[in-house]
Amino acid sequence: MPGTIPIALTVNGAPVSRAVEPRLNLVDFLRIDLGLTGTHVGCEHGVCGACTLLLDGDMVRGCLVLAVQADGAVVETIEGLSERGALRRLQDAFLARNALQCGFCTPGMLIAAAALLAQDPAPSRDAIRAHLSGNYCRCTGYHAIIDAVEAAAAKP
Amino acid sequence: MTAPPFSPFDRPNSYIGRSVPRPNARRLLAGRGQFTDDVQFARLTHVAFLRSPHAHARIRGLDLNAAKAAPGVIVIATGADLARLCRPWVGTLTHFAGLKSPPQYPLAIDRVVWRGEPVVAAVAATRALAEDALELVVVDWEELPAVADMETALDPATSVIHPEFGDNKAFSLHLESGAVDQAFAAAHQVIEAEWHFGRHTAVSLEPRTMVAQFDPSEQRLTVFQSTQTPYQMQDVYARHLGLSDAQVRVVAKDVGGSFGMKLHVYGDEMATAALSMMLGRPVKFVADRLESFVSDIHARDHRVKARVAVTADGEITAFAVDDLTGIGPFSAYPRTSAVEGNQVIRLIGGPYRHRHYRADLKVVFQNKNIMSQYRAVGHPIACAVTEAMVDLAAASVGLDPVELRRRNMLTDDMYPYTSPTGFVFERLSHHQCLDRLVGHMDYESLRAEQERLRRHGVFRGIGIAAYIEITNPGPAFYGVGGARISAQDGCILKLEPSGQVRCLVSVTEQGQGTETAMAQVAASVLGIPLDAVRVVTGDTEVTPHGGATWASRGAGIGGETVLRAARALRDNILALAGTILQAHADTLDIRDGLIVDADGGRERMALAELARIAFFRPDTLPPDFQPEMTVARHHVPRGQPFAFTNGIQAAHVEVEIETGFIKLLKHWVVDDCGRVINPQLVDEQIRGGVVQGIGAALFEECIYGADGQMQNGTLADYLVPMAGEMPDIVVDHVSTPTVYSELGAKGVGEAGTAASAAAVLNAVNDALRPLGARVTTIPLTPDRVLAALGKLDA
Ligand code: FES
Ligand code: FES
């Protein structure tokens, strides 16, 4: 068995410490070790955005970060963000506009959209499209997602 | 009791035709979905597969010793090991006469026939340890010549992949109708062209995933699987693993996209099930993205030579086509790989009035990944060939493409109409759809703008593509050829003690909104609020046996099944209400969850009260009265082999002639899927389908070398549509309900994909026309556009 390395971090507001293999990536750590299965794995090579999460407040791809790199960091996933209501406007808009089908891309898409709205509270459709281009969706054709983000931005 | 005189479409609780949100979307939005990989199991093991690095090779020897000794390994299994546990399968069906395919085993034995074929399985405590062990497997390969190019697959000089068949031909079919040679001889213009369609693949964002759990104490196999078709898979596991279907349960949790890809039988999945029987423990298999590219079925791969005959006034009199398609080394099981080509040649020319038609189909084996059904099976090829030829026909006689279509599309007075390929169209709405489309586009202004911009060196194009879609396949679709794939669906409806209703239905959900649509039908017919219906799908232990969701059948067939069950439960509820209230059942009605007087609507009792009496106080009922609060109904579509739908799409593009880049400006769809249960769900099915078709049109291609190696099998190299490059998509409807069901709903899942590539192809060629260029291969990559413009070697 390869050796393990102890890490301590904050996940969704709670302290977590574990010993992990150096090769374990952050999304597998969250999913397998912590049971936070809301963050998805679509490619494991940094393209699809299904594994999008927040690391020290920045949007990152959980498949490109090793768990050991998150030592000392603050991680937020779809579960934590949902529970503290940080995505409510977007979630309501996605529901109303049916901006999800299978829902596999959705957690990553919501986090990416929230990151955009944090920078630019009233983005144009083109800006939304450009910003979400790192998050693949195979089901919706994107149009409804763009509508939903626009609608969420327009809400107070 | 005769059907009560009400319509579920216009009464209180009429949810049919309304855009209600999906109740199951909330948990997906909160990260509380339950995809197969999210389910927890005790004593779980993980399997990884060593896959062939060669397109064609003999396995001279395997050294597994180091792998078996690797940390965490539970078992290392070979093709021979698993062949003892799993009967092979053959991807043929008797209604495709002459279709050949050899037996297929979970893992390769002695020889591999495509790069990516699974060869050795390692089961270990974690996926990473299983992969570590596979690194230690030593295979002694003897490379064999690979058949990659379908064009030369039938040449005598080409090696034969399956020597027992004598050649590389899997299937061929000839269709002939009318007097084709005379029609071409008499034509004012005969246009010929050759079109190429690359291979692409589904890239469901959630890869193929399953956990097989065999319990030796009960001799029962439970498979949690990301699949569209749990019932089909239950039957497959039972038959091939030597179990009865009573010993097998298949559960589809949330499915992260499927698009036809997750309904085929894959060797790695059969191996996973067999391994769990070998070990008596749960075994998980998750295809990683790299193995998805070389093992999920691929789609399309066609070369079509087409001819069209046109009279001087623009009447199309004949089509003749020759379709060559490569399916890899096997015909997929259990649906075969012949359906794609068969549908291509039967759908070509579909919207038009010509009476002379000839088609030749050749389906060949290659040393590439298996090709089989994927969303819109055959439709995009048929539509692109037809519509591209129609545009060429229009240009040849100097007519606008819209005008030529007007002159040739089937008209309203022609139905029911039998096409030259034998399809019967109950009633289609081509002209209404075309008129609506032209209106939405403001076609004349777009043409004027196009003219104006050309003078400034800006090349925009407008492409139109009419389509027909095969939906709601009837009882003779697969079963007639020997496949144990159901054409019917079933529904159990239960009134619960709370007065709410549980609906267990055999159609399945992959995000289309199946569960919502079924709830809408049940609530509308029963007269209860939508949130009083809970829909359960995708568990063979719980839901009735049925076809599930494929071929655009969920809403039409599943919806009708639920309608019938709901009507039966309603009758039973009213019979009980009549007994309790000492009234005639037909003087009562259910509205908003209350029993009311049918006349006047006076409230008589709540459903919850009725349920309380039925379940807990039957002592208060007459001794000879038995309340029946659970009903089951099945429905098989009858009266016609398919419910054909139709529609039309248009694409507006700009081609940058210096770079070959194509910018999509806008896309329009007018679709007619009959009665629409939930407009928003339908529109989003169409939009999602359009974008998948655009992916095929512009980006998606499994690129193979002459050695049969796939060269772009990563998500960084294989391009799929991203938000930034997709257009807004305008969707509108014409509604021509089918009379063969009460609901009148036809399918819609594939309509978007059927015609969007054709519309984009035509738009790009429309943009290039003044430059004398034409692209004939999709995807329409910048290289191909530049080559067509003579700026780059092809
Ligand atoms: S799984 Fe991380 S980007 Fe695809
Ligand atoms: S909803 Fe299925 S991938 Fe986006």
Side-chain angles (χ1 to χ4, degrees):
Chain A
M1 276 283 198
T4 56
I5 295 176
I7 58 170
L9 62 162
T10 303
V11 179
N12 294 330
V16 169
S17 44
R18 291 284 193 282
V20 298
E21 279 189 58
R23 65 177 171 181
L24 184 70
N25 69 29
L26 181 56
V27 63
D28 282 351
F29 172 71
L30 294 168
R31 291 181 52 84
I32 299 169
D33 292 48
L34 304 187
L36 291 167
T37 52
T39 309
H40 296 149
V41 177
C43 71
E44 290 173 285
H45 46 266
V47 183
C48 73
C51 61
T52 303
L53 48 84
L54 296 184
L55 180 69
D56 288 332
D58 292 332
M59 179 175 101
V60 302
R61 293 176 188 272
C63 71
L64 295 184
V65 178
L66 293 170
V68 291
Q69 291 175 291
D71 187 25
V74 174
V75 171
E76 281 198 285
T77 69
I78 183 71
E79 290 92 343
L81 292 165
S82 297
E83 280 162 22
R84 74 172 170 87
L87 301 171
R88 189 166 304 128
R89 264 193 308 162
L90 280 162
Q91 286 164 326
D92 289 347
F94 270 56
L95 180 75
R97 184 58 190 83
N98 194 39
L100 70 161
Q101 289 184 27
C102 78
F104 200 77
C105 68
T106 309
M109 200 65 84
L110 288 167
I111 293 172
L116 171 66
L117 297 188
Q119 289 163 25
D120 178 357
S124 67
R125 281 183 88 74
D126 281 350
I128 300 169
R129 284 190 177 276
H131 180 85
L132 294 182
S133 285
N135 289 76
Y136 287 6
C137 175
R138 276 305 259 180
C139 300
T140 63
Y142 300 109
H143 183 128
I145 294 176
I146 311 305
D147 286 351
V149 175
E150 234 184 358
K155 283 245 173 67
Chain B
M1 185 183 287
T2 55
F6 78 89
S7 157
F9 311 118
D10 55 2
R11 45 176 271 129
N13 311 110
S14 284
Y15 298 101
I16 293 169
R18 277 173 50 191
S19 291
V20 299
R22 288 162 51 203
N24 58 0
R26 280 254 175 234
R27 63 189 167 78
L28 296 167
L29 284 159
R32 291 174 182 271
Q34 273 247 305
F35 296 90
T36 301
D37 192 29
D38 302 341
V39 186
Q40 309 281 324
F41 296 87
R43 300 185 74 216
L44 182 64
T45 68
H46 299 261
V47 63
F49 295 95
L50 175 90
R51 294 180 182 275
S52 167
H54 301 296
H56 194 190
R58 202 176 314 285
I59 303 169
R60 277 198 298 233
L62 282 172
D63 181 349
L64 306 175
N65 289 327
K68 285 182 175 168
V73 166
I74 296 160
V75 73
I76 305 285
T78 65
D81 297 335
L82 295 188
R84 283 192 281 276
L85 295 172
C86 179
R87 276 181 39 223
W89 55 92
V90 178
T92 58
L93 290 172
T94 55
H95 62 314
F96 294 117
L99 172 62
K100 295 178 292 194
S101 190
Q104 219 188 321
Y105 294 84
L107 305 178
I109 304 172
D110 301 332
R111 189 170 70 119
V112 290
V113 286
W114 90 89
R115 185 260 175 277
E117 183 173 6
V119 179
V120 175
V123 182
T126 69
R127 170 69 180 242
L129 290 172
E131 290 185 17
D132 290 348
L134 291 175
E135 298 276 320
L136 304 174
V137 172
V138 182
V139 188
D140 181 8
W141 299 107
E142 177 191 334
E143 267 197 79
L144 299 170
V147 180
D149 183 2
M150 66 183 180
E151 298 273 1
T152 56
L154 298 178
D155 291 357
T158 303
S159 63
V160 174
I161 300 174
H162 306 295
E164 64 275 29
F165 296 150
D167 61 25
N168 288 320
K169 194 175 84 182
F171 181 62
S172 63
L173 186 62
H174 175 81
L175 300 178
E176 176 115 23
S177 176
V180 181
D181 292 328
Q182 287 95 312
F184 277 100
H188 170 68
Q189 295 281 347
V190 173
I191 301 111
E192 275 190 63
E194 184 172 316
W195 307 95
H196 296 259
F197 302 89
R199 277 182 167 232
H200 52 95
T201 187
V203 195
S204 60
L205 205 57
E206 179 211 30
R208 288 188 293 115
T209 306
M210 70 182 274
V211 179
Q213 185 177 29
F214 186 71
D215 177 349
S217 65
E218 282 198 317
Q219 292 288 303
R220 282 175 49 84
L221 175 70
T222 303
V223 181
F224 288 79
Q225 184 165 8
S226 178
T227 177
Q228 292 171 241
T229 49
Y231 316 98
Q232 171 200 302
M233 293 313 300
Q234 176 193 30
D235 179 75
V236 165
Y237 292 130
R239 279 185 299 119
H240 291 275
L241 297 169
L243 302 167
S244 74
D245 57 13
Q247 289 171 283
V248 180
R249 174 184 182 193
V250 177
V251 185
K253 307 292 286 186
D254 290 327
V255 174
S258 180
F259 318 115
M261 185 272 287
K262 291 174 182 167
L263 51 60
H264 305 284
V265 168
Y266 294 90
D268 44 27
E269 295 178 357
M270 295 304 285
T272 304
L275 286 162
S276 109
M277 292 184 69
M278 181 191 274
L279 298 172
R281 285 177 68 175
V283 181
K284 179 185 279 192
F285 168 59
V286 182
D288 70 25
R289 186 55 63 192
L290 303 184
E291 61 189 337
S292 296
F293 275 114
V294 294
S295 63
D296 291 0
I297 53 102
H298 288 179
R300 323 305 183 211
D301 205 7
H302 295 261
R303 184 276 288 138
V304 183
K305 294 181 180 165
R307 286 194 303 151
V308 60
V310 198
T311 67
D313 52 6
E315 184 195 342
I316 294 172
T317 55
F319 281 95
V321 296
D322 178 331
D323 179 14
L324 174 67
T325 178
I327 58 166
F330 297 101
S331 167
Y333 183 71
R335 291 169 190 245
T336 84
S337 299
V339 180
E340 163 86 8
N342 182 56
Q343 292 200 167
V344 169
I345 64 169
R346 289 186 192 277
L347 285 163
I348 282 178
Y352 300 100
R353 285 201 299 246
H354 61 96
R355 292 310 301 165
H356 310 289
Y357 183 68
R358 174 183 296 144
D360 277 289
L361 168 68
K362 279 196 188 59
V363 179
V364 301
F365 292 119
Q366 310 152 290
N367 292 114
K368 293 182 177 176
N369 189 6
I370 300 170
M371 188 285 293
S372 195
Q373 283 88 312
Y374 163 65
R375 193 177 201 172
V377 188
H379 292 69
I381 310 302
C383 182
V385 169
T386 304
E387 295 300 299
M389 295 305 289
V390 165
D391 267 16
L392 293 178
S396 79
V397 293
L399 280 176
D400 182 274
V402 167
E403 178 54 28
L404 187 100
R405 285 176 173 79
R406 279 219 171 90
R407 292 188 191 182
N408 285 282
M409 287 192 312
L410 296 172
T411 51
D412 291 354
D413 54 356
M414 296 174 80
Y415 302 108
Y417 179 81
T418 304
S419 81
T421 65
F423 284 150
V424 180
F425 304 141
E426 176 193 359
R427 175 160 293 281
L428 303 176
S429 57
H430 289 300
H431 289 269
Q432 274 169 280
C433 289
L434 175 64
D435 291 345
R436 289 262 190 109
L437 180 86
V438 165
H440 282 298
M441 296 171 72
D442 197 358
Y443 183 76
E444 297 305 327
S445 339
L446 282 188
R447 283 285 178 212
E449 178 198 65
Q450 177 183 39
E451 240 346 277
R452 207 166 52 240
L453 288 172
R454 273 179 188 163
R455 291 196 289 272
H456 298 95
V458 174
F459 292 89
R460 288 193 172 175
I462 301 162
I464 296 195
Y467 61 90
I468 53 173
E469 191 202 339
I470 300 173
T471 81
N472 295 2
F477 199 47
Y478 280 114
V480 70
R484 292 169 63 83
I485 298 169
S486 190
Q488 61 79 53
D489 277 290
C491 172
I492 297 168
L493 275 184
K494 310 193 277 185
L495 184 73
E496 310 264 22
S498 61
Q500 301 203 331
V501 168
R502 203 167 283 257
C503 171
L504 318 175
V505 63
S506 58
V507 288
T508 53
E509 170 88 85
Q510 297 89 41
Q512 304 91 328
T514 311
E515 292 182 358
T516 307
M518 296 306 114
Q520 287 179 263
V521 173
S524 302
V525 175
L526 284 167
I528 60 178
L530 188 63
D531 58 12
V533 182
R534 166 100 185 137
V535 179
V536 178
T537 62
D539 183 344
T540 61
E541 203 93 319
V542 173
T543 46
H545 191 97
T549 301
W550 42 273
S552 298
R553 64 188 300 290
I557 302 176
E560 188 74 4
T561 311
V562 172
L563 181 140
R564 290 177 178 215
R567 177 146 297 163
L569 181 59
R570 181 179 184 279
D571 287 348
N572 291 359
I573 289 171
L574 290 180
L576 173 60
T579 302
I580 296 169
L581 298 168
Q582 303 196 329
H584 256 293
D586 49 14
T587 65
L588 299 171
D589 193 5
I590 314 171
R591 289 178 200 160
D592 236 1
L594 303 172
I595 308 291
V596 299
D597 285 336
D599 199 2
R602 181 169 63 100
E603 180 181 338
R604 304 295 302 273
M605 71 191 299
L607 262 186
E609 174 60 8
L610 174 134
R612 186 189 66 83
I613 295 169
F615 291 115
F616 308 122
R617 295 302 307 276
D619 59 298
T620 63
L621 298 173
D624 57 346
F625 186 87
Q626 173 61 54
E628 296 290 352
M629 297 295 105
T630 298
V631 302
R633 286 293 183 275
H634 288 262
H635 171 66
V636 62
R638 298 223 188 252
Q640 56 181 358
F642 305 102
F644 282 93
T645 72
N646 68 283
I648 192 161
Q649 300 192 18
H652 190 211
V653 307
E654 185 170 312
V655 182
E656 224 177 76
I657 58 166
E658 298 309 318
T659 61
F661 273 87
I662 294 161
K663 185 167 166 51
L664 303 173
L665 302 170
K666 201 154 186 172
H667 200 97
W668 297 264
V669 182
V670 181
D671 182 72
D672 185 347
C673 58
R675 172 111 46 214
V676 171
I677 299 172
N678 184 320
Q680 189 178 55
L681 294 179
V682 164
D683 288 0
E684 297 321 315
Q685 274 299 293
I686 290 174
R687 290 195 173 98
V690 163
V691 166
Q692 273 185 8
I694 290 175
L698 296 186
F699 313 113
E700 295 186 41
E701 184 171 23
C702 301
I703 300 169
Y704 274 86
D707 54 359
Q709 291 283 339
M710 185 172 166
Q711 298 173 336
N712 63 332
T714 79
L715 209 50
D717 298 299
Y718 178 101
L719 306 181
V720 303
M722 300 189 296
E725 52 212 355
M726 288 302 107
D728 280 348
I729 300 164
V730 176
V731 179
D732 190 15
H733 301 277
V734 169
S735 178
T736 310
T738 173
V739 302
Y740 290 101
S741 72
E742 190 172 337
L743 191 56
K746 307 180 201 175
V748 73
E750 300 168 286
T753 309
S756 58
V760 171
L761 173 69
N762 277 351
V764 169
N765 281 331
D766 184 54
L768 299 180
R769 191 160 293 119
L771 303 164
R774 184 201 302 167
V775 194
T776 56
T777 298
I778 73 165
L780 302 159
T781 58
D783 284 11
R784 288 178 179 138
V785 172
L786 291 177
L789 286 164
K791 298 185 180 191
L792 201 70
D793 288 341

